[in-house]
Amino acid sequence: MAKELWKGNEAIAEAAIKAGCKFFFGYPITPQNEIPEYMAMRMPQIEGAAFVQAESEVAAINMVYGGAGSGARVMTSSSSPGISLKQEGITYIAGAELPCVIVNIVRGGPGLGGIQPAQSDYFQATKGGGHGDYRLLVLAPSSVQEAVDLTQEAFDMADQYRNPVMIMGDGMIGQMMEPVEFTDVPKRNLPEKTWATTGTKGKREHNVINSLFIDPAACEKHNIHLFEKYAEMEKNEVRVEEYNMDGAEIVFVAYGTTARIVKNAIATLGKEGIKAGLIRPITLWPYPSKTVEAAAAKANVKAFLTVEMSMGQMVEDVRLAVNGAKPVHFYGRTGGMVPTPAAIVAEAKKVLGGAK
Amino acid sequence: MAKELWKGNEAIAEAAIKAGCKFFFGYPITPQNEIPEYMAMRMPQIEGAAFVQAESEVAAINMVYGGAGSGARVMTSSSSPGISLKQEGITYIAGAELPCVIVNIVRGGPGLGGIQPAQSDYFQATKGGGHGDYRLLVLAPSSVQEAVDLTQEAFDMADQYRNPVMIMGDGMIGQMMEPVEFTDVPKRNLPEKTWATTGTKGKREHNVINSLFIDPAACEKHNIHLFEKYAEMEKNEVRVEEYNMDGAEIVFVAYGTTARIVKNAIATLGKEGIKAGLIRPITLWPYPSKTVEAAAAKANVKAFLTVEMSMGQMVEDVRLAVNGAKPVHFYGRTGGMVPTPAAIVAEAKKVLGGAK
Amino acid sequence: MAGKVIFDENTCKGCELCVRVCPVNIVHMDKERINIKGYHPATVKEMDKCIACGSCAKTCPDVVIRVEKL
Amino acid sequence: MAGKVIFDENTCKGCELCVRVCPVNIVHMDKERINIKGYHPATVKEMDKCIACGSCAKTCPDVVIRVEKL
Amino acid sequence: MAVVFQKTKGLTDKQFHYCPGCTHGIIHRLVAEVLEELGLLDDAIGVAPVGCAVFCYDYFSCDMQEAAHGRAPAVATGIKRVNPKSAVFTYQGDGDLASIGAAEIVHASMRGEKFTTIFVNNAIYGMTGGQMAPTTLVGQKATTAPYGRNEDLAGMPLRVSEMLATIPKAVFVERVSVHDIPNINKAKKAIKKAFEIQMKGLGFTFVEILSTCPTNWGKTPLESLKWLQENMIPYFPLGNFRNVEEVK
Amino acid sequence: MAVVFQKTKGLTDKQFHYCPGCTHGIIHRLVAEVLEELGLLDDAIGVAPVGCAVFCYDYFSCDMQEAAHGRAPAVATGIKRVNPKSAVFTYQGDGDLASIGAAEIVHASMRGEKFTTIFVNNAIYGMTGGQMAPTTLVGQKATTAPYGRNEDLAGMPLRVSEMLATIPKAVFVERVSVHDIPNINKAKKAIKKAFEIQMKGLGFTFVEILSTCPTNWGKTPLESLKWLQENMIPYFPLGNFRNVEEVK
Amino acid sequence: MTHEIVMAGFGGQGVMAIGKIIAEAGLKEGKNVSWLPSYGPEMRGGTASCNVIVSADPVGSPIVTGATEAIVLNRPSLDKFEKDVVPGGMLFINSSLIDKKSTRDDIKVYYVPANDIANELGNGKIANMVMLGAYIAATNAVSEDTIMEIVTEMFQGKKASVIPLNKEALAKGAECVK
Amino acid sequence: MTHEIVMAGFGGQGVMAIGKIIAEAGLKEGKNVSWLPSYGPEMRGGTASCNVIVSADPVGSPIVTGATEAIVLNRPSLDKFEKDVVPGGMLFINSSLIDKKSTRDDIKVYYVPANDIANELGNGKIANMVMLGAYIAATNAVSEDTIMEIVTEMFQGKKASVIPLNKEALAKGAECVK
Ligand SMILES: Cc1ncc(C[n+]2csc(CCOP(=O)(O)OP(=O)(O)O)c2C)c(N)n1
Ligand SMILES: Cc1ncc(C[n+]2csc(CCOP(=O)(O)OP(=O)(O)O)c2C)c(N)n1
Ligand code: SF4
Ligand code: SF4
Ligand code: SF4
Ligand code: SF4
Ligand code: SF4
Ligand code: SF4
Ligand SMILES: [Mg+2]
Ligand SMILES: [Mg+2]
């Protein structure tokens, strides 16, 4: 297939459909409206598929619970305030071990905040905005093409681990158009969904989708089971891009669109004779801690500079991985402001101790 | 006043009333039901006060927003799933800079989980379960008396910083009875609430309670303002108990009721000739990182052992503070299971490299 | 016309709802015995009077009773 | 009986709602001019016909119009 | 020998955890019997609430999902859209459905979601220990209404059936009770009708069932039935508020 | 010279951001005028929704709070309990009130919260770009109903006034429109009545106002008024559904 | 000495109440105390229990993992808590409802026919007070006088008429272990 | 070379559309491209703008901070974006609606009476195509032929009748900068 220009939001929606997603439950919110709108247009064209505009984000995530519990490939999408409303539902889905894909096209916060791009929902996504011990797989595309590829694979990941997967983009990823090629991502070998509620058909014991364990020993056991699963994910699913790392004296850590801006900055620094590299986590959870740790161990690396569209969230995971081996700095813009390459260059020079 | 036996939940409610809380908005959930029940009993006895059983936790937190925005001392309480539902409201309150007190009597998760005591909402409380960059002041009492004292002071803290304060207990704090003395906590010098919506009375411009900043530059500016405030809190409000730290070779870090259990373990270890100390964060945010860092710098300290009723959440803040200076270990029970002193002793010995 | 009612005695919670509805008044609580749940279970003394109307079973919230027509 | 209507011209958005309701049909859009918002503003040509009924003002969604009775 | 009454296959062998005399048990049985009688057990998918009936996923022998508090109608929407031929139902209490889940039940009705809701109205929060429900009567005491529900501060009980009957796609709405045998029989008929209409795909179907909570009402099971009859029925009149014939 | 019409003190000098011909502006003015005429401006506290009217906190000259999407009735409950003597109102769109905020409006009604809700029904989500609302008409196109609202899949529009009128403590419920001068006058009367009843402390008061969205309906302002009249009013009949006399 | 006590029985047998009385008495005597109930749906019909600690030292964990004493009012409670008593500890069994004997030989076991005694006194509901009487007499965790004071305060006013009955129950219980 | 282009005007003037045409054309020519719109309520009546990047290298940030070229269709857009053009860059001004001149002397400025030309052609709505024609002719960011192809594809089918008009607009625009 030739490359076509696609708007990020619509590309994500089409990618989901290509991955076999037949059920979408959502509620409008800027800057992700093109996802439900595209689904509203496409789902009626597909046999047995459904688009439901839920009455709220709370309802939407619980529709996802019901649909996922019935074994279907199900998706919802929203932006920051709507994702906050979904937190109870998300922890239920994680607790009941249901596979689904949740898209968050992040905007500025806190509260009603603004509608411009941001990355200030990192903590919420990776540390658990809901209560209890649980994890989402969190994927952070930095181009529309990557959004398409990750969305398609997300459904397989979700099914493999029976776990919710979050695609975390920002207003830029959602709104911009870029060339896209829909390729068939390699299909994983997936277990049958014998646990799904589709009616017993008189052929098996009744299936129960549930996250309640009233006996604390059973509840703990369930948690330990979940964490064994999370350990598997940590082993198998970490993704990261390393860029220009050879001989880098300063290592940027940035994800999503911010990483692209950092690449511009790296080019500028390079022209000025400063070797800068980039570690771009593609999975925000599981976090590529080993890659960061390995970089911290290199003699040429003098410092880390984490760049985020937030007041500093992912930087904690960088610090945890570096564990004191090298200084870790932070530069961020927030509330919908986007860092400029020039500002990043300046910050990098400051970190390296003045202009070179 | 002589000491009286009080159940934790009821003591917290009475403490709030003593601190001038006249409005309570809540929704039932185990194990914190005695808080709304006590408020339902007491509020009608107080002139101008009100108890409202909201239709949901979502409604309750938004009633808190309205009441706090009108300048009153307002409280809500819930337990884990209910707190997840409040996340959107909480980030709005933080964004609009409204003072209020939120009680979370934590239970096992994720999802519906169980109703026994847990500490697995640490991430949600301290890193932001809602979207955007914001912080709560999070207080973690480890006895009913401390719950009473902190609850009273919480209202002052909230008013001083115009920020929500969370009291984080667990089922044990909520359900147990202990001797309590209601003392008058020293009152802070608080600014007048000139920003509150009480009607202009024709005497001033209209007040607006708001968290929307549609211009990203304004939104960022607001975020920076918030973080200046948070820096103030970090400077002024950190609280921590250091226990038996002199010459400790192993340092426990634990909060809330878990810290009490650790104290039993320390006694046992002491009898066996092992010097163990405890750092008990009372404020979970701002975190007593300096205390932990200082302990890590001591020659006698060989290792840290964080004990939590979770799969490991606060341990990240310990690691961030220790920053690689000493090994940081973790022991946890979750889902409503409570660690025993014996198990903690065993774990400590393991950390120290076998029995001594 | 004659009926037979069988109580799964250990599942009875002694609520007495069945007692009230029997048209021939033969269901009563056995105050002599306690089942494993700790309740005095419901029972029928004069089984021959049972008309197999099924009312006791239909009102029992714990599905304790089976009714047969002989 | 005569009226006077005053348009805060730069706040007009050219929606034409006021045009429709004038009982004496004197409000019209000024196609010659563009206000700072980029719209052709509403205006009144034959002011002497105005009966100060207030309808134009009552229907204007942007509170552009003030009506006086002379 | 003929069996006049035996336990339905719609229920598992697990014993109910309900308090003695709690009519949740009767309602469970009626739903299970209807599913069996309509031959729907193999195709049925139920949704448990959060409330005393939370464990009903263990009692009904069909496939079950346990929903977050109040969200059963949203969960059922997801289930039914994926399994359009299945018999889908929610089983919800008055706190679950009429309080925290008010938006979800109104909107399932509005969309005409093709499932059946069994609404157990016992005028109290049973599971959490007797707090006020939206359906608690004026003057009735509850742990969060220790002086009795105050009409001026807490309003009057919500009549959910009457409210949903204003929604076009709520094609079957009936209120029944289980306080005596004739009413138990009527309740079963209403439940059956609701499932029949669901299977015809005509819209959303709703059966409100008045139920007792001896434990939190502080009454014996028999006193509770009487209290229901004398106090609840006058405010929550029994009867059909909407049916599909009227809709057509 | 006498002033027949001038801008009310209830509005600030800030210019509305609404699209040309959007009747949100008319409704703002009516509410502001009523507050001024009843002498309530100094004591009024309004609650802004999330919707096109989100910035109304900048337009009304009284104290204002900006609520989370759909939660204005809960926010207003908090405000009114703290300020029982103030005139409290929410201003909400159909997405805000009838969709995400359905539970909050039903429960404010149930409790009989003593504030007034101005419900702007424009049958669409204006602010987010024309998605389907609960009040979107069957067959009407919206960005999330690109083939027109499908009755079988998305149900029929919610008649909020009719629904709330079933709730005892919703003591004043009226539906009005602003598509011409006589109706604008009636709308103002209804708003005034609602505030008067609020100040008497009799219960919850509610005015639904049919409104246009030229931008997302894809029509000129004038065509929009006509469309409202010809399509919305037949489904959403104007009139009083509840008033306090009937309650007493 | 530190008393770490477990009390258990059917919901309605009043184990929470006697736990509170012990804790109140301990407080009155200037000791450190805590009272921790089991909670949750298992209370419904099932077993209710509470943990009480009375100590000269500050109370660490309010959870009793090794009980110095256990008071069990029904059979399931015996089955559940018998093993939790530390060697050398005490176990108080309501022998009216529990026909089983303890299998432990490293602890001191008291059999108190609490319901029989309560019935003799004309009120089956005060079996819990009989057990409490036995417990206090055997352990002196708090003094009998303090318990009497608490009971007197508790039933002050309208219910004052039941004070003598309660005291008698306590005394009868005490006799069982003397 | 890398073209980093800003286009801006009133909502409805079609700046998003010409941005997309440039991006489509770049893609067709095998270049790397991105198109990023401004979004949000300020679009309502206010100024709409988009950023387009056409480059031989992979596109880093899709945000244009230093524009190699800017195309402004109304006055507010000129005021907002004039300063963002890099020295040596180009600025295309719709002189029909903007009477102001640019104050920059370090860039090349083209004044295109786009609305006048469009009106002459009988359709005021294609002023954007006139601007596009001028832009392509002056920059060769993509070839005129590719633009023609895209336009032909875009209006394939029912709307085919408008193709000649659009091509004419492009041509007239091109003339303005020659
Ligand atoms: C989000 C959330 N809020 C609150 C609760 C606590 N809770 C459990 S059941 C219940 C109410 C049950 O009442 P009802 O629905 O009437 O059912 P019943 O027990 O009376 O049958 C509540 C408030 C919860 N589990 N989750
Ligand atoms: C929790 C949440 N969900 C969704 C949104 C996005 N949103 C903003 S306004 C709106 C709908 C507005 O429609 P309506 O209430 O009808 O008001 P109108 O704009 O039509 O006046 C939505 C869905 C949001 N801001 N917050
Ligand atoms: S079946 Fe009828 S007659 Fe027989 S015992 Fe039961 S209620 Fe009585
Ligand atoms: S109705 Fe059932 S549970 Fe109740 S007493 Fe009769 S047999 Fe026992
Ligand atoms: S006041 Fe009446 S008559 Fe005068 S211009 Fe306005 S609408 Fe026309
Ligand atoms: S109604 Fe107002 S905004 Fe509209 S055209 Fe007339 S004056 Fe202008
Ligand atoms: S608490 Fe009430 S509703 Fe719940 S099981 Fe007991 S009697 Fe039934
Ligand atoms: S989008 Fe619609 S509702 Fe919003 S301001 Fe424009 S016309 Fe009015
Ligand atoms: Mg109930
Ligand atoms: Mg609307």
Side-chain angles (χ1 to χ4, degrees), chain A residues 132-144:
Chain A
D133 292 299
Y134 72 93
R135 289 286 184 279
L136 308 181
L137 260 156
V138 185
L139 310 175
S142 90
S143 69
V144 176

mmCIF file with all atom_site columns, all heavy atoms in Angstrom, chain A residues 132-144:
data_model
loop_
_atom_site.group_PDB
_atom_site.id
_atom_site.type_symbol
_atom_site.label_atom_id
_atom_site.label_alt_id
_atom_site.label_comp_id
_atom_site.label_asym_id
_atom_site.label_entity_id
_atom_site.label_seq_id
_atom_site.pdbx_PDB_ins_code
_atom_site.Cartn_x
_atom_site.Cartn_y
_atom_site.Cartn_z
_atom_site.occupancy
_atom_site.B_iso_or_equiv
_atom_site.pdbx_formal_charge
_atom_site.auth_seq_id
_atom_site.auth_comp_id
_atom_site.auth_asym_id
_atom_site.auth_atom_id
_atom_site.pdbx_PDB_model_num
ATOM 1  N N   . GLY A 1 132 ? -5.180 0.826  44.139 1.00 0.00 ? 132 GLY A N   1
ATOM 2  C CA  . GLY A 1 132 ? -4.708 -0.553 44.136 1.00 0.00 ? 132 GLY A CA  1
ATOM 3  C C   . GLY A 1 132 ? -3.437 -0.739 43.341 1.00 0.00 ? 132 GLY A C   1
ATOM 4  O O   . GLY A 1 132 ? -2.942 0.167  42.679 1.00 0.00 ? 132 GLY A O   1
ATOM 5  N N   . ASP A 1 133 ? -2.903 -1.940 43.433 1.00 0.00 ? 133 ASP A N   1
ATOM 6  C CA  . ASP A 1 133 ? -1.665 -2.296 42.738 1.00 0.00 ? 133 ASP A CA  1
ATOM 7  C C   . ASP A 1 133 ? -2.025 -2.854 41.374 1.00 0.00 ? 133 ASP A C   1
ATOM 8  O O   . ASP A 1 133 ? -2.588 -3.948 41.271 1.00 0.00 ? 133 ASP A O   1
ATOM 9  C CB  . ASP A 1 133 ? -0.918 -3.383 43.528 1.00 0.00 ? 133 ASP A CB  1
ATOM 10 C CG  . ASP A 1 133 ? -0.366 -2.883 44.856 1.00 0.00 ? 133 ASP A CG  1
ATOM 11 O OD1 . ASP A 1 133 ? 0.462  -1.972 44.838 1.00 0.00 ? 133 ASP A OD1 1
ATOM 12 O OD2 . ASP A 1 133 ? -0.771 -3.427 45.908 1.00 0.00 ? 133 ASP A OD2 1
ATOM 13 N N   . TYR A 1 134 ? -1.717 -2.129 40.330 1.00 0.00 ? 134 TYR A N   1
ATOM 14 C CA  . TYR A 1 134 ? -1.952 -2.653 38.985 1.00 0.00 ? 134 TYR A CA  1
ATOM 15 C C   . TYR A 1 134 ? -1.111 -1.862 37.998 1.00 0.00 ? 134 TYR A C   1
ATOM 16 O O   . TYR A 1 134 ? -0.555 -0.814 38.343 1.00 0.00 ? 134 TYR A O   1
ATOM 17 C CB  . TYR A 1 134 ? -3.429 -2.573 38.602 1.00 0.00 ? 134 TYR A CB  1
ATOM 18 C CG  . TYR A 1 134 ? -3.906 -1.181 38.320 1.00 0.00 ? 134 TYR A CG  1
ATOM 19 C CD1 . TYR A 1 134 ? -3.899 -0.665 37.019 1.00 0.00 ? 134 TYR A CD1 1
ATOM 20 C CD2 . TYR A 1 134 ? -4.347 -0.343 39.346 1.00 0.00 ? 134 TYR A CD2 1
ATOM 21 C CE1 . TYR A 1 134 ? -4.318 0.639  36.758 1.00 0.00 ? 134 TYR A CE1 1
ATOM 22 C CE2 . TYR A 1 134 ? -4.762 0.954  39.083 1.00 0.00 ? 134 TYR A CE2 1
ATOM 23 C CZ  . TYR A 1 134 ? -4.741 1.441  37.799 1.00 0.00 ? 134 TYR A CZ  1
ATOM 24 O OH  . TYR A 1 134 ? -5.142 2.724  37.536 1.00 0.00 ? 134 TYR A OH  1
ATOM 25 N N   . ARG A 1 135 ? -0.994 -2.351 36.820 1.00 0.00 ? 135 ARG A N   1
ATOM 26 C CA  . ARG A 1 135 ? -0.219 -1.656 35.791 1.00 0.00 ? 135 ARG A CA  1
ATOM 27 C C   . ARG A 1 135 ? -0.945 -1.708 34.455 1.00 0.00 ? 135 ARG A C   1
ATOM 28 O O   . ARG A 1 135 ? -1.613 -2.695 34.132 1.00 0.00 ? 135 ARG A O   1
ATOM 29 C CB  . ARG A 1 135 ? 1.146  -2.335 35.582 1.00 0.00 ? 135 ARG A CB  1
ATOM 30 C CG  . ARG A 1 135 ? 2.112  -2.146 36.710 1.00 0.00 ? 135 ARG A CG  1
ATOM 31 C CD  . ARG A 1 135 ? 2.685  -0.731 36.749 1.00 0.00 ? 135 ARG A CD  1
ATOM 32 N NE  . ARG A 1 135 ? 3.681  -0.583 37.793 1.00 0.00 ? 135 ARG A NE  1
ATOM 33 C CZ  . ARG A 1 135 ? 3.397  -0.365 39.084 1.00 0.00 ? 135 ARG A CZ  1
ATOM 34 N NH1 . ARG A 1 135 ? 2.150  -0.254 39.483 1.00 0.00 ? 135 ARG A NH1 1
ATOM 35 N NH2 . ARG A 1 135 ? 4.366  -0.262 39.967 1.00 0.00 ? 135 ARG A NH2 1
ATOM 36 N N   . LEU A 1 136 ? -0.791 -0.658 33.690 1.00 0.00 ? 136 LEU A N   1
ATOM 37 C CA  . LEU A 1 136 ? -1.188 -0.678 32.293 1.00 0.00 ? 136 LEU A CA  1
ATOM 38 C C   . LEU A 1 136 ? 0.070  -0.821 31.453 1.00 0.00 ? 136 LEU A C   1
ATOM 39 O O   . LEU A 1 136 ? 1.129  -0.355 31.847 1.00 0.00 ? 136 LEU A O   1
ATOM 40 C CB  . LEU A 1 136 ? -1.837 0.650  31.889 1.00 0.00 ? 136 LEU A CB  1
ATOM 41 C CG  . LEU A 1 136 ? -2.982 1.193  32.722 1.00 0.00 ? 136 LEU A CG  1
ATOM 42 C CD1 . LEU A 1 136 ? -3.482 2.492  32.109 1.00 0.00 ? 136 LEU A CD1 1
ATOM 43 C CD2 . LEU A 1 136 ? -4.096 0.171  32.781 1.00 0.00 ? 136 LEU A CD2 1
ATOM 44 N N   . LEU A 1 137 ? -0.065 -1.404 30.289 1.00 0.00 ? 137 LEU A N   1
ATOM 45 C CA  . LEU A 1 137 ? 0.962  -1.265 29.271 1.00 0.00 ? 137 LEU A CA  1
ATOM 46 C C   . LEU A 1 137 ? 0.729  0.103  28.628 1.00 0.00 ? 137 LEU A C   1
ATOM 47 O O   . LEU A 1 137 ? -0.372 0.377  28.147 1.00 0.00 ? 137 LEU A O   1
ATOM 48 C CB  . LEU A 1 137 ? 0.779  -2.351 28.215 1.00 0.00 ? 137 LEU A CB  1
ATOM 49 C CG  . LEU A 1 137 ? 1.684  -3.565 28.303 1.00 0.00 ? 137 LEU A CG  1
ATOM 50 C CD1 . LEU A 1 137 ? 1.030  -4.760 27.631 1.00 0.00 ? 137 LEU A CD1 1
ATOM 51 C CD2 . LEU A 1 137 ? 3.015  -3.260 27.624 1.00 0.00 ? 137 LEU A CD2 1
ATOM 52 N N   . VAL A 1 138 ? 1.737  0.940  28.624 1.00 0.00 ? 138 VAL A N   1
ATOM 53 C CA  . VAL A 1 138 ? 1.557  2.296  28.108 1.00 0.00 ? 138 VAL A CA  1
ATOM 54 C C   . VAL A 1 138 ? 2.492  2.535  26.923 1.00 0.00 ? 138 VAL A C   1
ATOM 55 O O   . VAL A 1 138 ? 3.717  2.439  27.067 1.00 0.00 ? 138 VAL A O   1
ATOM 56 C CB  . VAL A 1 138 ? 1.822  3.350  29.193 1.00 0.00 ? 138 VAL A CB  1
ATOM 57 C CG1 . VAL A 1 138 ? 1.499  4.753  28.656 1.00 0.00 ? 138 VAL A CG1 1
ATOM 58 C CG2 . VAL A 1 138 ? 1.009  3.061  30.441 1.00 0.00 ? 138 VAL A CG2 1
ATOM 59 N N   . LEU A 1 139 ? 1.913  2.813  25.765 1.00 0.00 ? 139 LEU A N   1
ATOM 60 C CA  . LEU A 1 139 ? 2.682  2.996  24.541 1.00 0.00 ? 139 LEU A CA  1
ATOM 61 C C   . LEU A 1 139 ? 2.634  4.460  24.107 1.00 0.00 ? 139 LEU A C   1
ATOM 62 O O   . LEU A 1 139 ? 1.557  5.054  24.080 1.00 0.00 ? 139 LEU A O   1
ATOM 63 C CB  . LEU A 1 139 ? 2.097  2.125  23.427 1.00 0.00 ? 139 LEU A CB  1
ATOM 64 C CG  . LEU A 1 139 ? 1.854  0.650  23.791 1.00 0.00 ? 139 LEU A CG  1
ATOM 65 C CD1 . LEU A 1 139 ? 1.156  -0.066 22.640 1.00 0.00 ? 139 LEU A CD1 1
ATOM 66 C CD2 . LEU A 1 139 ? 3.179  -0.035 24.125 1.00 0.00 ? 139 LEU A CD2 1
ATOM 67 N N   . ALA A 1 140 ? 3.798  5.007  23.770 1.00 0.00 ? 140 ALA A N   1
ATOM 68 C CA  . ALA A 1 140 ? 3.862  6.433  23.447 1.00 0.00 ? 140 ALA A CA  1
ATOM 69 C C   . ALA A 1 140 ? 4.439  6.647  22.055 1.00 0.00 ? 140 ALA A C   1
ATOM 70 O O   . ALA A 1 140 ? 5.640  6.805  21.898 1.00 0.00 ? 140 ALA A O   1
ATOM 71 C CB  . ALA A 1 140 ? 4.711  7.154  24.491 1.00 0.00 ? 140 ALA A CB  1
ATOM 72 N N   . PRO A 1 141 ? 3.580  6.695  21.045 1.00 0.00 ? 141 PRO A N   1
ATOM 73 C CA  . PRO A 1 141 ? 4.069  6.906  19.681 1.00 0.00 ? 141 PRO A CA  1
ATOM 74 C C   . PRO A 1 141 ? 4.594  8.329  19.504 1.00 0.00 ? 141 PRO A C   1
ATOM 75 O O   . PRO A 1 141 ? 4.112  9.253  20.139 1.00 0.00 ? 141 PRO A O   1
ATOM 76 C CB  . PRO A 1 141 ? 2.824  6.696  18.822 1.00 0.00 ? 141 PRO A CB  1
ATOM 77 C CG  . PRO A 1 141 ? 1.674  6.963  19.727 1.00 0.00 ? 141 PRO A CG  1
ATOM 78 C CD  . PRO A 1 141 ? 2.120  6.561  21.106 1.00 0.00 ? 141 PRO A CD  1
ATOM 79 N N   . SER A 1 142 ? 5.574  8.465  18.606 1.00 0.00 ? 142 SER A N   1
ATOM 80 C CA  . SER A 1 142 ? 6.054  9.820  18.350 1.00 0.00 ? 142 SER A CA  1
ATOM 81 C C   . SER A 1 142 ? 5.799  10.249 16.902 1.00 0.00 ? 142 SER A C   1
ATOM 82 O O   . SER A 1 142 ? 6.239  11.317 16.498 1.00 0.00 ? 142 SER A O   1
ATOM 83 C CB  . SER A 1 142 ? 7.525  9.969  18.755 1.00 0.00 ? 142 SER A CB  1
ATOM 84 O OG  . SER A 1 142 ? 8.367  9.661  17.693 1.00 0.00 ? 142 SER A OG  1
ATOM 85 N N   . SER A 1 143 ? 5.122  9.414  16.144 1.00 0.00 ? 143 SER A N   1
ATOM 86 C CA  . SER A 1 143 ? 4.691  9.830  14.807 1.00 0.00 ? 143 SER A CA  1
ATOM 87 C C   . SER A 1 143 ? 3.359  9.160  14.525 1.00 0.00 ? 143 SER A C   1
ATOM 88 O O   . SER A 1 143 ? 2.962  8.233  15.227 1.00 0.00 ? 143 SER A O   1
ATOM 89 C CB  . SER A 1 143 ? 5.714  9.400  13.748 1.00 0.00 ? 143 SER A CB  1
ATOM 90 O OG  . SER A 1 143 ? 5.702  7.989  13.629 1.00 0.00 ? 143 SER A OG  1
ATOM 91 N N   . VAL A 1 144 ? 2.699  9.625  13.491 1.00 0.00 ? 144 VAL A N   1
ATOM 92 C CA  . VAL A 1 144 ? 1.411  9.027  13.168 1.00 0.00 ? 144 VAL A CA  1
ATOM 93 C C   . VAL A 1 144 ? 1.618  7.577  12.721 1.00 0.00 ? 144 VAL A C   1
ATOM 94 O O   . VAL A 1 144 ? 0.853  6.683  13.089 1.00 0.00 ? 144 VAL A O   1
ATOM 95 C CB  . VAL A 1 144 ? 0.672  9.865  12.097 1.00 0.00 ? 144 VAL A CB  1
ATOM 96 C CG1 . VAL A 1 144 ? -0.628 9.196  11.701 1.00 0.00 ? 144 VAL A CG1 1
ATOM 97 C CG2 . VAL A 1 144 ? 0.418  11.274 12.615 1.00 0.00 ? 144 VAL A CG2 1
#
